[in-house]
Amino acid sequence: MSSPLVHTRFRWQGDFAALTRMKILVIDDEATNVALLEDMLAEAGYSRVKSITDSRVALETYDAFAPDLLLLDLMMPHVDGFAILESLRAKDGDIFFPIVVLTADVNERTKRRALGSGATDFLVKTFDQLEVLLRIANLLETRRLHLLLDNQLAAFEEAVRPRSIELREARSNWLDTTE
């Protein structure tokens, strides 16, 4: 089933094509969940998707792939999703990086712990395709806008840096002459 609502929603903005080129990492120990998410994403046009089922390689895969969004199962053997979530947030705390928690456990304690550890959103198993695609599109658009702002800020700082140096030097020279 394709997702025309996602395509229609972003077509007028011209952003959907940019979103489908963004990178999505799926970490879930259940191969059937991974296959389902990969199929949903491929059908919606997302072409840069990487999936792993072994949570022990999650951090190195994250570093190597540099995703724009992470779909992360919480309950996995070896390294659970909470540990991965906390490690990623400690590493990239200043950057907006959306992490969507995948869980069948919808109790309040789990939700609060995940949110407290840095989860951006939740998807409850079993997945509703439209909800999955809309949440992913919304978070990728937010990520894209954050990246644009970061780039514009860096360009602005670079443009202003020479003038700031000139002003500091002029101020220093002025202070030297008034003493």
Side-chain angles (χ1 to χ4, degrees):
M1 175 181 164
S2 68
S3 53
L5 288 177
V6 174
H7 290 281
T8 302
R9 179 165 183 246
F10 287 98
R11 185 173 295 135
W12 67 272
Q13 296 175 341
D15 294 336
F16 191 73
L19 299 183
T20 60
R21 289 187 304 272
M22 296 178 83
K23 294 192 249 179
I24 300 171
L25 176 60
V26 179
I27 303 173
D28 193 323
D29 63 313
E30 296 285 335
T32 53
N33 288 337
V34 169
L36 177 64
L37 288 166
E38 286 175 339
D39 288 347
M40 281 184 201
L41 293 168
E43 206 172 295
Y46 294 97
S47 58
R48 301 177 76 191
V49 178
K50 182 166 187 65
S51 302
I52 60 171
T53 56
D54 185 350
S55 61
R56 293 173 290 194
V57 297
L59 296 178
E60 65 192 56
T61 303
Y62 168 84
D63 288 337
F65 187 59
D68 293 295
L69 179 133
L70 173 62
L71 300 173
L72 177 66
D73 185 22
L74 286 180
M75 304 304 171
M76 296 182 287
H78 310 297
V79 182
D80 71 11
F82 290 108
I84 294 168
L85 185 57
E86 290 166 2
S87 294
L88 291 176
R89 289 304 186 210
K91 177 190 294 197
D92 294 331
D94 294 341
I95 298 168
F96 177 75
F97 175 68
I99 300 176
V100 180
V101 168
L102 311 173
T103 185
D105 184 359
V106 292
N107 74 56
E108 290 302 313
R109 191 168 147 244
T110 301
K111 284 182 185 179
R112 288 184 186 132
R113 182 175 173 205
L115 289 169
S117 298
T120 311
D121 205 351
F122 285 87
L123 285 170
V124 178
K125 298 175 184 177
T126 57
F127 303 121
D128 174 88
Q129 183 174 2
L130 182 58
E131 179 183 4
V132 168
L133 294 174
L134 288 172
R135 286 179 188 268
I136 287 171
N138 287 341
L139 289 169
L140 284 174
E141 176 65 5
T142 303
R143 166 80 170 170
R144 188 184 72 75
L145 293 173
H146 272 269
L147 292 173
L148 283 172
L149 284 173
D150 290 345
N151 289 338
Q152 288 176 348
L153 178 60
F156 176 74
E157 288 173 347
E158 188 63 31
V160 169
R161 185 173 291 120
R163 183 66 178 141
S164 296
I165 292 170
E166 288 176 23
L167 289 172
R168 276 191 223 105
E169 288 173 355
R171 182 178 184 271
S172 176
N173 291 339
W174 180 77
L175 289 174
D176 288 345
T177 60
T178 59
E179 289 178 353

